[in-house]
Amino acid sequence: MAKRRALISVSDKTGIVDFARELAGLGVEIISTGGTASLLEREGIPVIGISDVTGFPEILDGRVKTLHPAVHSGLLAIRDNEEHRRTMEELGLGYIDFVIVNLYPFQQTIAKPDVGYEEAVENIDIGGPTMLRSAAKNHAFVTVVVDAADYAGVLQEIKEGGDTTLETRKRLAAKVFRHTAAYDALIGDYLSQQAGEQLPERFTVTYEKIQDLRYGENPHQRAAFYRKPLAGKGDLTTAEQLHGKELSYNNINDANAALAIVKEFDEPAVAAVKHMNPCGVGIGTTVAEAYRKAYESDPTSIFGGIVAANRTVDAETAGMLSELFLEIVLAPDFTPEALDILTRKKNIRLLKLGEWSRAAERKPEWLVTSVAGGMLVQESDVLSVEASELKVVTDRQPTEEELKQLLFGWKIVKHVKSNAIVLAKDNMTIGVGAGQMNRVGAARIAVEQAGDKARGAVLASDAFFPMGDTVELAAKAGITAIIQPGGSIRDEESIAAANANGIAMVFSGVRHFKH
């Protein structure tokens, strides 16, 4: 019986020397290429060069070495097919029983901030995916390994049973096709970006699993957490959990909503979120001041909520946070004193995000939402407005302080489920009306929550007023200024109501629906 052979060619050489040595010790001949072959030879492991198999030199700086019938016939031949066996014998070709391959580091290459187009293209692997796919297709006879995490299990099966099981080979083959599909998707995405293709005829995305979650929206629903291959700093996908039990699906959704709010601000900001909606947001000169304002916005709803900060949490802030039950606190970092205080609470989760680039947060990315049988894709809503872009449409101009509060409220209302109304005063939210079927209903909720604080506050609406009733309600509550997109065929009705009540109203020209 001919010796079994393994073809080994890896860019990531983690664990490969020990694995190859074990295979050789089990009587498996090692075929290898380029740098992998040199490494194994230095380690004293017998290696057959790929040119000895193909009878052809590696050429074009290694671009062509395994793309040869002597390799792919050895991978694709059906061992119990008489015609295949006869062809292999007549041509003097040998079988390849194990393929251990991982690919050129395309992802790591394009992650480099100064990478050039030519370097990126040069790191597109051709021979590797071809060998992987050939071996995976013929998994009835060939064991193919693309992940170093599988080395130990493969060795154990060979030692115990003389070969891997068909069940294992099926599992490894499926993993290969997932791997090559993700590799190709990443290349396709990069080249599409370079070519300026924003919404191409095929939209292929790839994500890598971070962890299984405790459950989905409800305990009877399974869930997992995935991240994009090139996720940046300051995202939940790259956060370090410093304390607390594992996260659930709802935890992550809420934490992401809270994080998106505080990323709107350059000054210290804190947001408290429940069920994807802010229940309190504050800004200040320190993170402690910002938290106090967020807490005072709605001391009831923050209980059991999620709090995000855009500055390092210090001991003063941690002391206040520790006074109530919170699911998660996430921030760029925590001081040692803050960690000492917060880790005394068993059930709180602490997520360290690292510092993020505020400029990067203002670049849109594609958001994907599943629907039955398909998906929707849209740009993230990163549009903001400056004071100079607002259009005053009433007789009264907003004061400097009103304008400041209007812009504060406008940054928050775009993160509230539509229909959305936010009341703001003194750099904090005092009332939030979210997810209502009509706008005046959202306004009533916000006004009721604010109570007497509404007098002298400002109001932000995510979309225009289809009639004047919201303005009338605001006037009765003592609201002095309003920001809304404008654009309704009944804008004049709202403007007239504002003028009649001495309210300053500005149009942003931008709608912020959020469903």
Side-chain angles (χ1 to χ4, degrees):
M1 181 178 176
K3 268 196 168 186
R4 290 179 300 175
R5 299 192 301 172
L7 196 162
I8 303 178
S9 180
V10 292
S11 293
D12 178 0
K13 295 176 174 56
T14 303
I16 196 61
V17 171
D18 290 339
F19 185 56
R21 183 175 284 116
E22 291 267 16
L23 283 177
L26 293 168
V28 177
E29 288 184 337
I30 308 298
I31 304 167
S32 194
T33 68
T36 306
S38 297
L39 171 65
L40 298 181
E41 287 172 345
R42 286 198 303 271
E43 294 292 332
I45 300 169
V47 172
I48 301 171
I50 194 69
S51 296
D52 295 327
V53 174
T54 64
F56 203 86
E58 298 183 25
I59 62 172
L60 306 180
D61 299 319
R63 280 189 168 205
V64 178
K65 50 193 172 187
T66 60
L67 296 169
H68 193 280
V71 172
H72 288 276
S73 59
L75 298 176
L76 287 165
I78 299 173
R79 309 301 199 257
D80 55 10
N81 181 300
E82 184 61 35
E83 184 178 344
H84 284 203
R85 283 205 305 266
R86 186 167 56 251
T87 299
M88 296 291 285
E89 289 171 7
E90 289 174 354
L91 296 175
L93 300 172
Y95 299 109
I96 298 173
D97 306 283
F98 304 93
V99 171
I100 300 90
V101 167
N102 56 54
L103 307 176
Y104 292 175
F106 183 79
Q107 179 178 329
Q108 294 90 327
T109 299
I110 63 172
K112 296 189 295 187
D114 57 347
V115 66
Y117 183 75
E118 291 77 12
E119 182 184 358
V121 170
E122 198 58 34
N123 276 276
I124 297 175
D125 202 327
I126 301 300
T130 308
M131 286 189 292
L132 287 173
R133 290 170 62 85
S134 293
K137 176 177 179 176
N138 205 24
H139 64 266
F141 306 100
V142 181
T143 301
V144 56
V145 185
V146 75
D147 185 352
D150 294 310
Y151 291 170
V154 166
L155 284 172
Q156 183 177 350
E157 286 194 9
I158 297 172
K159 289 175 180 177
E160 292 177 352
D163 198 359
T164 56
T165 64
L166 179 58
E167 180 182 5
T168 292
R169 293 196 296 275
K170 283 182 179 179
R171 178 178 60 80
L172 293 175
K175 193 171 193 176
V176 160
F177 282 111
R178 291 195 302 270
H179 182 79
T180 57
Y183 192 77
D184 286 343
L186 190 61
I187 294 167
D189 183 55
Y190 174 79
L191 293 178
S192 295
Q193 289 179 28
Q194 296 297 309
E197 296 273 6
Q198 293 194 331
L199 286 170
E201 76 287 346
R202 295 183 187 276
F203 190 89
T204 306
V205 294
T206 181
Y207 297 88
E208 52 197 25
K209 186 161 74 171
I210 302 172
Q211 65 187 90
D212 290 308
L213 300 176
R214 288 194 302 144
Y215 51 79
E217 286 186 286
N218 298 288
H220 58 274
Q221 294 171 269
R222 291 179 299 169
F225 190 22
Y226 291 79
R227 72 172 160 226
K228 296 194 304 183
L230 298 175
K233 288 185 178 180
D235 292 335
L236 282 175
T237 55
T238 55
E240 178 185 358
Q241 185 166 349
L242 303 177
H243 179 70
K245 58 189 176 183
E246 63 186 355
L247 300 169
S248 72
Y249 180 95
N250 291 335
N251 290 154
I252 293 169
N253 262 332
D254 285 344
N256 189 60
L259 180 58
I261 295 169
V262 297
K263 284 183 174 180
E264 292 280 351
F265 298 96
D266 292 322
E267 55 268 78
V270 171
V273 163
K274 288 284 283 291
H275 307 300
M276 298 284 286
N277 281 305
C279 55
V281 181
I283 60 174
T285 57
T286 65
V287 70
E289 180 187 359
Y291 172 73
R292 274 193 295 270
K293 290 182 175 181
Y295 171 79
E296 291 168 3
S297 297
D298 188 348
T300 301
S301 296
I302 195 175
F303 182 85
I306 286 170
V307 171
N310 66 357
R311 294 290 193 279
T312 296
V313 171
D314 55 18
E316 181 184 2
T317 310
M320 293 185 286
L321 289 165
S322 69
E323 292 174 0
L324 71 160
F325 169 65
L326 295 169
E327 289 277 1
I328 300 173
V329 177
L330 55 154
D333 205 349
F334 298 80
T335 66
E337 296 79 10
L339 277 176
D340 181 59
I341 293 167
L342 292 171
T343 53
R344 296 172 197 167
K345 297 177 73 71
K346 179 180 178 181
N347 290 323
I348 195 170
R349 297 132 163 134
L350 305 177
L351 299 181
K352 176 183 173 180
L353 299 162
E355 295 293 341
W356 57 80
S357 163
R358 285 172 170 75
E361 294 306 321
R362 289 166 173 79
K363 294 180 180 178
E365 62 176 292
W366 296 116
L367 301 179
V368 178
T369 302
S370 297
V371 296
M375 68 179 184
L376 298 170
V377 180
Q378 71 167 344
E379 282 186 323
S380 55
D381 185 0
V382 298
L383 191 62
S384 60
V385 296
E386 304 297 329
S388 60
E389 300 174 279
L390 300 176
K391 179 183 178 182
V392 180
V393 295
T394 50
D395 296 337
R396 187 171 81 78
Q397 297 273 330
T399 66
E400 185 177 341
E401 179 60 23
E402 285 173 335
L403 190 58
K404 179 181 175 182
Q405 299 306 313
L406 288 170
L407 290 171
F408 170 77
W410 187 245
K411 288 181 177 180
I412 297 163
V413 77
K414 85 176 192 181
H415 298 280
V416 180
K417 300 294 185 182
S418 303
N419 287 311
I421 296 289
V422 167
L423 304 187
K425 187 179 184 180
D426 299 328
N427 295 326
M428 60 187 283
T429 57
I430 58 170
V432 179
Q436 298 306 299
M437 284 62 72
N438 62 75
R439 195 153 303 280
V440 72
R444 285 196 185 99
I445 292 171
V447 166
E448 181 179 351
Q449 182 187 350
D452 293 339
K453 293 179 182 178
R455 192 156 300 278
V458 305
L459 179 150
S461 173
D462 66 331
F464 60 61
F465 299 148
M467 53 193 70
D469 50 6
T470 302
V471 178
E472 295 292 348
L473 179 67
K476 290 177 183 177
I479 300 295
T480 62
I482 293 173
I483 184 171
Q484 57 132 320
S488 169
I489 59 173
R490 300 175 69 172
D491 275 346
E492 291 303 321
E493 182 179 330
S494 296
I495 293 169
N499 282 330
N501 290 282
I503 293 175
M505 186 156 66
V506 300
F507 285 179
S508 67
V510 177
R511 189 180 74 182
H512 281 310
F513 272 150
K514 186 176 179 65
H515 294 96

